[in-house]
Amino acid sequence: MSSLILVVSAILVIFMIVGAVVTIHARDLLVAIIASAIVDLVLAVLFYILQAPDVAITQASIMGGLTTAIFLVVIKKTERYEQ
Amino acid sequence: MSWVIAIAIIVLGVVLTLIRAMLGPTAADRMVAVDSMTTITTALLVLLALYFKRYIYLDIALVYAVLAFVATLAVARYMEGGL
Amino acid sequence: MGKLSRFIFTSLVLFILWLFLTSTFRSQEVLIGLIFSLAIALFTYNSFTERGLQNLNPRKVFCAFLYLPYLLWQMIKANFDVAYRVLHPKMPIKPGIVHVKTKMKSDLGKLVVANSITLTPGTLTLDVIDDNMLIHWINVKTDDVEKASEEIPGVFEKCLKEFLE
Amino acid sequence: MLNAIGWFLIYFGAFFLFLGALGIMRFPDVFNRLQAGTKCTTLGALSTSIGVGLLHPAWLPKTFIIALFILLTNPISSHALGRASYRSGVKLWEKSVVDKCKEFKECVEEENE
Amino acid sequence: MIKKAFALLLVIIIGIFLSATFARIPFGEPKTVVGKYYLDHGVKDLGGVNIVTSIVVLYRGFDTLGEVTVLFLAATGLGMVLAGLREKDEKKRKKTPPSLIMRTETKLLFPMTILFGAYIFIHGHLTPGGGFPGGVVIASAFLLMFLSHKKWEAKEKYTKVTEALAGMTYVVIGLIGLYVAGSFLENFLPKGVPGNLFSAGIIPLIYTAIGFKVGSELTGLLQNLRETTE
């Protein structure tokens, strides 16, 4: 665990937290979905850096495409803006 | 030492795209940033596989390369009203 | 085209992809790869290709191999172009959407032309409607249809006509 | 020799990946950002992965596949995003020169849905 | 205001305690007895190089069967909920047609993505991955076709039949283990040389079954979601 890896993961964690806050506070639900996709993709990179490749591959494959698409279908069926 | 510079440059790129994804005025801007972020991250994962000296870690980069654009396509189809 | 030749072509492509993925010639891997590529080709050959084994005509393959280095060189030029525009403090851009006409008839031809346009200096395909292409150009030189068609897809189409039409 | 070429490709790619990110940061509107994002990241990721393959020749087939998929999927996703953002009513930058898209009714009719 | 300050204080305290706790756990060292046992004996006992898949499929095989059942129940439940909302006759909802480039490119990518999913689940015992990610990659290939073609559909009878056959294969393999080796989901095939494709006994068979099952389930789920009205 060298210091380089530590610095990289610290930066990524900070952005994950910012993404989570954006996800919660966005009025436009499309923006919330995009921010949660960012959180998931960065989380896959973090699992990879922490040397858990099995978890990382599952996270990347499920969260990358399927979850985003299902959320999008749901806001298409209901409505896009939160009041 | 040569590792540190290459990885640092790429991580700086990821950070720039993530800042644009958090700032971006419209949802399209954010999605453009996320799309570029996934491609940059693929390159980062390939480099990190070399850093950890594990051949099998390339599979995760491959999953990223294959699946990350599904999310982009889904968001694009939602935005043009075809989902 | 005959169904058999389309099926054989699809399974051949998939099998080569499998060999690259496993990157060995061990007999077990090759056996499993053959089974999977035949099974997948059985229900996807209909949409995968329209011309089947005709794609493997030596002249077409040769032209495709000539095309790749040209595309790569265009991509490198495009990157230095973007680098110049990004790093210049005043950002010398003059964007706009222009309209060009393409001569390609088949779907695959339009696809390759559009993707090549996206990867080359300063242009990005926005939409394709029949044989009209709408292109976002970062540094508009002309907004005339004829001149723009000569400028942007003209060079590619001359190369691509050989192995796609 | 192979080593030197590999490292050169990796640095070349890393530099362009950074430039693409900088372009996304600096350019004024969605379409210009797409320009920077697509071209630079495609070539950058391509050359980085091929460079890693050259450092370890046994890895070359798999890195080649990664490069192939990037080359296939990246232009299409940027095309889809550009089309979708034009149709969903994203405005061009105010200093844009020409907009031929308005001549086609297929492009404009979806705007006020 | 005072509520928010209190919440912030609580979050900070929890964060300090969590980071203090995790800072004392060393990175990458097995601490528990069970973990040490798995690491020492796993490859020799079972023949799988990737120890995670050996644990998931063989040591904890029954657990995985439960997980697959949970996924099946979730998909079936969603299908039942959505069945009431099914579009009866072609309602006139205006949809933008997908562009020509997207249609042509996804036709090209569809078989390749399925082959990649097959690669992931058949190599579960050699590389990271396994049945679940492989199935999800296959379902993503179908999702690509759903996104870019208006009329294209996966026939419901095929997905249902594939899913049922795959689930049955899993249980039958477990029962054969019960008959031959004495306990449910016990390994009954030769272990082979670690590192070969045909090694690790029944892991590749079970992962093939799981891959087909997950892929067809998620495809059916996406198909259901697409057919409903607003």
Side-chain angles (χ1 to χ4, degrees):
Chain A
M1 197 72 166
S2 71
S3 57
L4 166 72
I5 296 299
L6 213 63
V7 171
V8 170
S9 48
I11 293 172
L12 291 180
V13 164
I14 290 170
F15 273 98
M16 261 177 69
I17 294 171
V18 176
V21 171
V22 171
T23 309
I24 295 170
H25 282 281
R27 284 250 174 274
D28 186 351
L29 290 183
L30 182 57
V31 172
I33 289 173
I34 293 172
S36 74
I38 292 175
V39 173
D40 295 330
L41 290 171
V42 173
L43 185 60
V45 179
L46 269 178
F47 280 135
Y48 180 94
I49 287 175
L50 295 175
Q51 306 199 17
D54 285 84
V55 191
I57 208 169
T58 311
Q59 179 78 19
S61 60
I62 292 178
M63 298 301 170
L66 270 181
T67 324
T68 316
I70 289 176
F71 282 154
L72 282 171
V73 171
V74 169
I75 66 166
K76 180 77 187 175
K77 307 286 184 214
T78 56
E79 55 194 17
R80 179 170 163 180
Y81 293 97
E82 209 175 59
Q83 45 261 10
Chain B
M1 199 53 212
S2 43
W3 295 106
V4 181
I5 302 167
I7 291 180
I9 293 172
I10 295 183
V11 168
L12 211 59
V14 173
V15 167
L16 278 180
T17 51
L18 280 175
I19 291 174
R20 175 49 75 192
M22 297 304 162
L23 288 180
T26 63
D29 284 304
R30 295 171 206 261
M31 205 56 223
V32 172
V34 174
D35 186 35
S36 306
M37 187 205 91
T38 50
T39 315
I40 297 176
T41 309
T42 311
L44 179 67
L45 292 185
V46 173
L47 257 185
L48 281 174
L50 190 53
Y51 174 82
F52 290 129
K53 294 196 176 52
R54 292 285 191 84
Y55 173 63
I56 56 173
Y57 282 18
L58 283 180
D59 276 7
I60 299 155
L62 197 46
V63 167
Y64 246 78
V66 175
L67 285 190
F69 94 115
V70 179
T72 315
L73 275 194
V75 172
R77 289 290 287 153
Y78 174 77
M79 285 199 320
E80 68 183 13
L83 201 68
Chain C
M1 253 330 104
K3 280 186 178 178
L4 189 66
S5 103
R6 277 154 71 191
F7 172 68
I8 292 174
F9 179 70
T10 311
S11 41
L12 198 67
V13 170
L14 289 179
F15 185 61
I16 291 172
L17 185 68
W18 178 272
L19 285 184
F20 269 96
L21 272 174
T22 54
S23 54
T24 57
F25 283 109
R26 241 183 261 159
S27 54
Q28 304 168 346
E29 308 263 7
V30 171
L31 180 70
I32 293 288
L34 262 180
I35 293 173
F36 269 125
S37 43
L38 287 177
I40 293 169
L42 198 61
F43 72 99
T44 56
Y45 74 91
N46 218 348
S47 61
F48 182 71
T49 171
E50 281 172 3
R51 290 186 310 177
L53 286 174
Q54 275 186 0
N55 284 321
L56 293 182
N57 188 344
R59 197 162 136 265
K60 287 182 176 169
V61 175
F62 180 69
C63 288
F65 269 104
L66 276 190
Y67 179 67
L68 271 181
Y70 177 67
L71 179 69
L72 213 60
W73 169 240
Q74 288 290 332
M75 279 167 68
I76 293 171
K77 252 169 63 183
N79 275 278
F80 280 107
D81 183 63
V82 172
Y84 165 69
R85 286 179 208 286
V86 170
L87 292 177
H88 198 285
K90 280 186 200 148
M91 271 200 298
I93 57 175
K94 202 172 94 179
I97 297 176
V98 295
H99 165 208
V100 302
K101 287 215 179 271
T102 172
K103 294 193 199 76
M104 307 301 272
K105 296 285 189 305
S106 62
D107 285 357
L108 190 66
K110 283 176 193 166
L111 169 76
V112 178
V113 168
N115 279 0
S116 309
I117 286 173
T118 303
L119 289 175
T120 47
T123 49
L124 174 79
T125 318
L126 278 190
D127 210 338
V128 179
I129 302 164
D130 298 331
D131 62 341
N132 308 305
M133 281 188 176
L134 292 163
I135 288 175
H136 182 264
W137 203 352
I138 205 167
N139 188 17
V140 178
K141 286 177 195 151
T142 166
D143 61 344
D144 184 52
V145 176
E146 304 291 323
K147 276 183 194 161
S149 310
E150 204 48 43
E151 187 87 20
I152 301 172
V155 191
F156 286 117
E157 280 177 349
K158 274 171 209 146
C159 311
L160 287 173
K161 269 264 193 257
E162 286 295 315
F163 72 98
L164 285 175
E165 296 285 297
Chain D
M1 184 59 201
L2 222 56
N3 241 329
I5 297 176
W7 277 113
F8 171 72
L9 281 180
I10 288 175
Y11 276 105
F12 188 74
F15 174 66
F16 276 116
L17 286 174
F18 175 71
L19 270 186
L22 194 67
I24 284 175
M25 208 52 209
R26 280 196 71 190
F27 277 156
D29 76 339
V30 177
F31 304 101
N32 291 320
R33 280 180 196 144
L34 267 177
Q35 295 258 7
T38 311
K39 297 187 215 319
C40 288
T41 55
T42 308
L43 186 69
L46 212 109
S47 100
T48 310
S49 49
I50 296 290
V52 170
L54 287 181
L55 289 189
H56 284 252
W59 296 13
L60 197 57
K62 201 162 256 185
T63 52
F64 184 73
I65 289 288
I66 294 175
L68 177 76
F69 268 108
I70 287 172
L71 193 61
L72 276 178
T73 61
N74 226 344
I76 180 77
S77 68
S78 71
H79 156 77
L81 262 179
R83 183 177 189 260
S85 48
Y86 192 88
R87 291 195 175 199
S88 68
V90 173
K91 294 279 178 293
L92 284 177
W93 189 37
E94 64 263 26
K95 285 182 196 160
S96 298
V97 187
V98 54
D99 184 3
K100 286 277 174 112
C101 237
K102 282 179 191 144
E103 291 172 8
F104 290 86
K105 69 176 196 306
E106 285 97 334
C107 288
V108 191
E109 70 177 354
E110 299 297 328
E111 200 171 313
N112 37 10
E113 191 187 351
Chain E
M1 190 62 215
I2 195 100
K3 223 175 185 176
K4 274 186 182 170
F6 185 69
L8 194 66
L9 193 71
L10 200 67
V11 167
I12 288 174
I13 290 173
I14 292 175
I16 287 173
F17 273 105
L18 275 183
S19 53
T21 313
F22 283 117
R24 286 166 53 192
I25 297 177
F27 181 78
E29 285 175 27
K31 291 285 276 189
T32 58
V33 184
V34 182
K36 202 163 257 170
Y37 177 83
Y38 284 158
L39 283 182
D40 290 344
H41 300 266
V43 176
K44 206 169 52 186
D45 279 1
L46 305 171
V49 180
N50 184 358
I51 198 71
V52 178
T53 30
S54 303
I55 294 172
V56 167
V57 174
L58 289 177
Y59 285 124
R60 302 282 170 93
F62 204 59
D63 213 19
T64 309
L65 187 59
E67 277 166 27
V68 173
T69 316
V70 168
L71 186 62
F72 169 69
L73 280 181
T76 316
L78 188 66
M80 281 174 68
V81 169
L82 292 176
L85 303 172
R86 198 68 62 85
E87 252 174 49
K88 291 293 185 298
D89 40 27
E90 285 291 312
K91 266 223 184 134
K92 289 281 172 288
R93 211 181 83 197
K94 224 174 83 182
K95 281 185 180 177
T96 313
S99 87
L100 182 136
I101 298 178
M102 215 191 283
R103 265 181 284 149
T104 319
E105 172 102 27
T106 44
K107 272 183 198 165
L108 282 182
L109 283 175
F110 177 58
M112 297 188 186
T113 315
I114 292 185
L115 188 78
F116 180 53
Y119 166 80
I120 286 181
F121 70 64
I122 201 75
H123 284 83
H125 55 298
L126 302 177
T127 60
F132 287 97
V136 172
V137 172
I138 290 176
S140 302
F142 282 95
L143 173 64
L144 269 183
M145 293 303 268
F146 289 156
L147 282 178
S148 56
H149 292 254
K150 265 169 134 179
K151 292 278 163 58
W152 201 89
E153 59 177 353
K155 293 268 181 357
E156 193 172 357
K157 56 180 181 188
Y158 294 138
T159 56
K160 282 280 187 319
V161 166
T162 316
E163 186 194 330
L165 277 180
M168 226 167 65
T169 315
Y170 195 168
V171 177
V172 165
I173 289 172
L175 287 177
I176 293 175
L178 181 61
Y179 179 74
V180 176
S183 72
F184 193 66
L185 280 174
E186 187 71 42
N187 192 2
F188 59 88
L189 287 176
K191 280 164 205 143
V193 186
N196 274 3
L197 183 57
F198 292 156
S199 68
I202 59 173
I203 293 180
L205 288 179
I206 287 183
Y207 262 157
T208 310
I210 292 179
F212 276 115
K213 193 167 166 59
V214 172
S216 53
E217 259 167 12
L218 290 176
T219 308
L221 196 151
L222 289 169
Q223 175 81 17
N224 274 334
L225 270 177
R226 201 171 75 137
E227 280 174 354
T228 52
T229 51
E230 345 217 324

PDB file of all heavy atoms in Angstrom, chain A residues 3-24:
ATOM      1  N   SER A   3       2.070   5.199  -0.911  1.00  0.00           N
ATOM      2  CA  SER A   3       1.403   6.472  -0.638  1.00  0.00           C
ATOM      3  C   SER A   3       0.654   6.969  -1.850  1.00  0.00           C
ATOM      4  O   SER A   3      -0.372   7.641  -1.730  1.00  0.00           O
ATOM      5  CB  SER A   3       2.442   7.499  -0.205  1.00  0.00           C
ATOM      6  OG  SER A   3       3.410   7.615  -1.208  1.00  0.00           O
ATOM      7  N   LEU A   4       1.147   6.599  -3.053  1.00  0.00           N
ATOM      8  CA  LEU A   4       0.445   7.020  -4.274  1.00  0.00           C
ATOM      9  C   LEU A   4      -0.990   6.509  -4.291  1.00  0.00           C
ATOM     10  O   LEU A   4      -1.948   7.260  -4.515  1.00  0.00           O
ATOM     11  CB  LEU A   4       1.207   6.475  -5.490  1.00  0.00           C
ATOM     12  CG  LEU A   4       0.462   6.527  -6.818  1.00  0.00           C
ATOM     13  CD1 LEU A   4       0.373   7.947  -7.289  1.00  0.00           C
ATOM     14  CD2 LEU A   4       1.134   5.657  -7.838  1.00  0.00           C
ATOM     15  N   ILE A   5      -1.124   5.191  -3.987  1.00  0.00           N
ATOM     16  CA  ILE A   5      -2.448   4.587  -3.986  1.00  0.00           C
ATOM     17  C   ILE A   5      -3.327   5.253  -2.930  1.00  0.00           C
ATOM     18  O   ILE A   5      -4.516   5.519  -3.149  1.00  0.00           O
ATOM     19  CB  ILE A   5      -2.312   3.086  -3.704  1.00  0.00           C
ATOM     20  CG1 ILE A   5      -1.536   2.423  -4.837  1.00  0.00           C
ATOM     21  CG2 ILE A   5      -3.651   2.424  -3.573  1.00  0.00           C
ATOM     22  CD1 ILE A   5      -2.192   2.550  -6.148  1.00  0.00           C
ATOM     23  N   LEU A   6      -2.709   5.574  -1.789  1.00  0.00           N
ATOM     24  CA  LEU A   6      -3.471   6.213  -0.708  1.00  0.00           C
ATOM     25  C   LEU A   6      -4.017   7.562  -1.155  1.00  0.00           C
ATOM     26  O   LEU A   6      -5.203   7.872  -0.956  1.00  0.00           O
ATOM     27  CB  LEU A   6      -2.552   6.377   0.499  1.00  0.00           C
ATOM     28  CG  LEU A   6      -3.210   6.269   1.849  1.00  0.00           C
ATOM     29  CD1 LEU A   6      -3.768   4.879   2.007  1.00  0.00           C
ATOM     30  CD2 LEU A   6      -2.195   6.558   2.932  1.00  0.00           C
ATOM     31  N   VAL A   7      -3.157   8.358  -1.822  1.00  0.00           N
ATOM     32  CA  VAL A   7      -3.596   9.686  -2.273  1.00  0.00           C
ATOM     33  C   VAL A   7      -4.712   9.558  -3.290  1.00  0.00           C
ATOM     34  O   VAL A   7      -5.739  10.241  -3.211  1.00  0.00           O
ATOM     35  CB  VAL A   7      -2.395  10.456  -2.864  1.00  0.00           C
ATOM     36  CG1 VAL A   7      -2.862  11.725  -3.528  1.00  0.00           C
ATOM     37  CG2 VAL A   7      -1.401  10.762  -1.786  1.00  0.00           C
ATOM     38  N   VAL A   8      -4.530   8.624  -4.265  1.00  0.00           N
ATOM     39  CA  VAL A   8      -5.556   8.453  -5.308  1.00  0.00           C
ATOM     40  C   VAL A   8      -6.884   8.075  -4.685  1.00  0.00           C
ATOM     41  O   VAL A   8      -7.936   8.643  -5.005  1.00  0.00           O
ATOM     42  CB  VAL A   8      -5.105   7.383  -6.322  1.00  0.00           C
ATOM     43  CG1 VAL A   8      -6.240   7.029  -7.240  1.00  0.00           C
ATOM     44  CG2 VAL A   8      -3.941   7.877  -7.117  1.00  0.00           C
ATOM     45  N   SER A   9      -6.842   7.108  -3.727  1.00  0.00           N
ATOM     46  CA  SER A   9      -8.125   6.684  -3.166  1.00  0.00           C
ATOM     47  C   SER A   9      -8.747   7.783  -2.328  1.00  0.00           C
ATOM     48  O   SER A   9      -9.968   7.928  -2.303  1.00  0.00           O
ATOM     49  CB  SER A   9      -7.969   5.393  -2.379  1.00  0.00           C
ATOM     50  OG  SER A   9      -6.888   5.481  -1.519  1.00  0.00           O
ATOM     51  N   ALA A  10      -7.912   8.626  -1.660  1.00  0.00           N
ATOM     52  CA  ALA A  10      -8.480   9.732  -0.887  1.00  0.00           C
ATOM     53  C   ALA A  10      -9.221  10.702  -1.798  1.00  0.00           C
ATOM     54  O   ALA A  10     -10.355  11.115  -1.509  1.00  0.00           O
ATOM     55  CB  ALA A  10      -7.371  10.461  -0.128  1.00  0.00           C
ATOM     56  N   ILE A  11      -8.599  11.029  -2.953  1.00  0.00           N
ATOM     57  CA  ILE A  11      -9.264  11.947  -3.896  1.00  0.00           C
ATOM     58  C   ILE A  11     -10.590  11.354  -4.368  1.00  0.00           C
ATOM     59  O   ILE A  11     -11.628  12.029  -4.396  1.00  0.00           O
ATOM     60  CB  ILE A  11      -8.343  12.211  -5.098  1.00  0.00           C
ATOM     61  CG1 ILE A  11      -7.112  13.000  -4.656  1.00  0.00           C
ATOM     62  CG2 ILE A  11      -9.068  12.979  -6.178  1.00  0.00           C
ATOM     63  CD1 ILE A  11      -6.082  13.131  -5.734  1.00  0.00           C
ATOM     64  N   LEU A  12     -10.548  10.049  -4.709  1.00  0.00           N
ATOM     65  CA  LEU A  12     -11.772   9.422  -5.229  1.00  0.00           C
ATOM     66  C   LEU A  12     -12.870   9.402  -4.173  1.00  0.00           C
ATOM     67  O   LEU A  12     -14.049   9.629  -4.483  1.00  0.00           O
ATOM     68  CB  LEU A  12     -11.470   8.012  -5.722  1.00  0.00           C
ATOM     69  CG  LEU A  12     -10.601   7.976  -6.969  1.00  0.00           C
ATOM     70  CD1 LEU A  12     -10.336   6.558  -7.394  1.00  0.00           C
ATOM     71  CD2 LEU A  12     -11.264   8.724  -8.100  1.00  0.00           C
ATOM     72  N   VAL A  13     -12.481   9.160  -2.899  1.00  0.00           N
ATOM     73  CA  VAL A  13     -13.495   9.136  -1.831  1.00  0.00           C
ATOM     74  C   VAL A  13     -14.157  10.505  -1.684  1.00  0.00           C
ATOM     75  O   VAL A  13     -15.384  10.602  -1.547  1.00  0.00           O
ATOM     76  CB  VAL A  13     -12.856   8.677  -0.509  1.00  0.00           C
ATOM     77  CG1 VAL A  13     -13.752   9.016   0.649  1.00  0.00           C
ATOM     78  CG2 VAL A  13     -12.614   7.201  -0.537  1.00  0.00           C
ATOM     79  N   ILE A  14     -13.331  11.574  -1.779  1.00  0.00           N
ATOM     80  CA  ILE A  14     -13.916  12.913  -1.665  1.00  0.00           C
ATOM     81  C   ILE A  14     -14.960  13.132  -2.762  1.00  0.00           C
ATOM     82  O   ILE A  14     -16.065  13.624  -2.510  1.00  0.00           O
ATOM     83  CB  ILE A  14     -12.804  13.974  -1.742  1.00  0.00           C
ATOM     84  CG1 ILE A  14     -11.973  13.921  -0.476  1.00  0.00           C
ATOM     85  CG2 ILE A  14     -13.394  15.357  -1.931  1.00  0.00           C
ATOM     86  CD1 ILE A  14     -10.740  14.747  -0.547  1.00  0.00           C
ATOM     87  N   PHE A  15     -14.613  12.702  -3.997  1.00  0.00           N
ATOM     88  CA  PHE A  15     -15.584  12.917  -5.066  1.00  0.00           C
ATOM     89  C   PHE A  15     -16.822  12.051  -4.901  1.00  0.00           C
ATOM     90  O   PHE A  15     -17.919  12.443  -5.295  1.00  0.00           O
ATOM     91  CB  PHE A  15     -14.935  12.700  -6.423  1.00  0.00           C
ATOM     92  CG  PHE A  15     -14.297  13.943  -6.914  1.00  0.00           C
ATOM     93  CD1 PHE A  15     -12.952  14.149  -6.747  1.00  0.00           C
ATOM     94  CD2 PHE A  15     -15.057  14.925  -7.481  1.00  0.00           C
ATOM     95  CE1 PHE A  15     -12.366  15.309  -7.167  1.00  0.00           C
ATOM     96  CE2 PHE A  15     -14.485  16.096  -7.898  1.00  0.00           C
ATOM     97  CZ  PHE A  15     -13.131  16.287  -7.740  1.00  0.00           C
ATOM     98  N   MET A  16     -16.640  10.861  -4.302  1.00  0.00           N
ATOM     99  CA  MET A  16     -17.822  10.041  -4.044  1.00  0.00           C
ATOM    100  C   MET A  16     -18.764  10.735  -3.086  1.00  0.00           C
ATOM    101  O   MET A  16     -19.991  10.732  -3.277  1.00  0.00           O
ATOM    102  CB  MET A  16     -17.409   8.699  -3.444  1.00  0.00           C
ATOM    103  CG  MET A  16     -17.361   7.599  -4.435  1.00  0.00           C
ATOM    104  SD  MET A  16     -16.784   6.124  -3.650  1.00  0.00           S
ATOM    105  CE  MET A  16     -18.162   5.758  -2.605  1.00  0.00           C
ATOM    106  N   ILE A  17     -18.191  11.370  -2.049  1.00  0.00           N
ATOM    107  CA  ILE A  17     -19.054  12.052  -1.080  1.00  0.00           C
ATOM    108  C   ILE A  17     -19.792  13.207  -1.753  1.00  0.00           C
ATOM    109  O   ILE A  17     -21.007  13.386  -1.572  1.00  0.00           O
ATOM    110  CB  ILE A  17     -18.218  12.542   0.110  1.00  0.00           C
ATOM    111  CG1 ILE A  17     -17.673  11.337   0.876  1.00  0.00           C
ATOM    112  CG2 ILE A  17     -19.045  13.409   1.028  1.00  0.00           C
ATOM    113  CD1 ILE A  17     -16.680  11.698   1.926  1.00  0.00           C
ATOM    114  N   VAL A  18     -19.049  13.989  -2.591  1.00  0.00           N
ATOM    115  CA  VAL A  18     -19.706  15.103  -3.281  1.00  0.00           C
ATOM    116  C   VAL A  18     -20.829  14.588  -4.178  1.00  0.00           C
ATOM    117  O   VAL A  18     -21.934  15.144  -4.218  1.00  0.00           O
ATOM    118  CB  VAL A  18     -18.671  15.903  -4.097  1.00  0.00           C
ATOM    119  CG1 VAL A  18     -19.353  16.992  -4.888  1.00  0.00           C
ATOM    120  CG2 VAL A  18     -17.638  16.505  -3.183  1.00  0.00           C
ATOM    121  N   GLY A  19     -20.550  13.477  -4.886  1.00  0.00           N
ATOM    122  CA  GLY A  19     -21.581  12.907  -5.760  1.00  0.00           C
ATOM    123  C   GLY A  19     -22.804  12.468  -4.989  1.00  0.00           C
ATOM    124  O   GLY A  19     -23.932  12.669  -5.433  1.00  0.00           O
ATOM    125  N   ALA A  20     -22.580  11.874  -3.810  1.00  0.00           N
ATOM    126  CA  ALA A  20     -23.729  11.443  -3.012  1.00  0.00           C
ATOM    127  C   ALA A  20     -24.562  12.633  -2.573  1.00  0.00           C
ATOM    128  O   ALA A  20     -25.801  12.596  -2.613  1.00  0.00           O
ATOM    129  CB  ALA A  20     -23.242  10.655  -1.804  1.00  0.00           C
ATOM    130  N   VAL A  21     -23.881  13.743  -2.185  1.00  0.00           N
ATOM    131  CA  VAL A  21     -24.634  14.932  -1.765  1.00  0.00           C
ATOM    132  C   VAL A  21     -25.445  15.492  -2.929  1.00  0.00           C
ATOM    133  O   VAL A  21     -26.621  15.860  -2.769  1.00  0.00           O
ATOM    134  CB  VAL A  21     -23.659  15.993  -1.195  1.00  0.00           C
ATOM    135  CG1 VAL A  21     -24.385  17.285  -0.958  1.00  0.00           C
ATOM    136  CG2 VAL A  21     -23.043  15.491   0.077  1.00  0.00           C
ATOM    137  N   VAL A  22     -24.822  15.524  -4.126  1.00  0.00           N
ATOM    138  CA  VAL A  22     -25.560  16.006  -5.306  1.00  0.00           C
ATOM    139  C   VAL A  22     -26.772  15.126  -5.571  1.00  0.00           C
ATOM    140  O   VAL A  22     -27.864  15.608  -5.886  1.00  0.00           O
ATOM    141  CB  VAL A  22     -24.628  16.061  -6.533  1.00  0.00           C
ATOM    142  CG1 VAL A  22     -25.415  16.333  -7.802  1.00  0.00           C
ATOM    143  CG2 VAL A  22     -23.594  17.123  -6.360  1.00  0.00           C
ATOM    144  N   THR A  23     -26.582  13.801  -5.434  1.00  0.00           N
ATOM    145  CA  THR A  23     -27.693  12.880  -5.663  1.00  0.00           C
ATOM    146  C   THR A  23     -28.871  13.192  -4.762  1.00  0.00           C
ATOM    147  O   THR A  23     -30.024  13.163  -5.188  1.00  0.00           O
ATOM    148  CB  THR A  23     -27.237  11.437  -5.401  1.00  0.00           C
ATOM    149  OG1 THR A  23     -26.056  11.202  -6.129  1.00  0.00           O
ATOM    150  CG2 THR A  23     -28.282  10.448  -5.819  1.00  0.00           C
ATOM    151  N   ILE A  24     -28.568  13.509  -3.501  1.00  0.00           N
ATOM    152  CA  ILE A  24     -29.671  13.753  -2.574  1.00  0.00           C
ATOM    153  C   ILE A  24     -30.360  15.066  -2.873  1.00  0.00           C
ATOM    154  O   ILE A  24     -31.584  15.154  -2.886  1.00  0.00           O
ATOM    155  CB  ILE A  24     -29.152  13.742  -1.128  1.00  0.00           C
ATOM    156  CG1 ILE A  24     -28.644  12.359  -0.777  1.00  0.00           C
ATOM    157  CG2 ILE A  24     -30.242  14.139  -0.161  1.00  0.00           C
ATOM    158  CD1 ILE A  24     -27.916  12.307   0.516  1.00  0.00           C
TER     159      ILE A  24
END
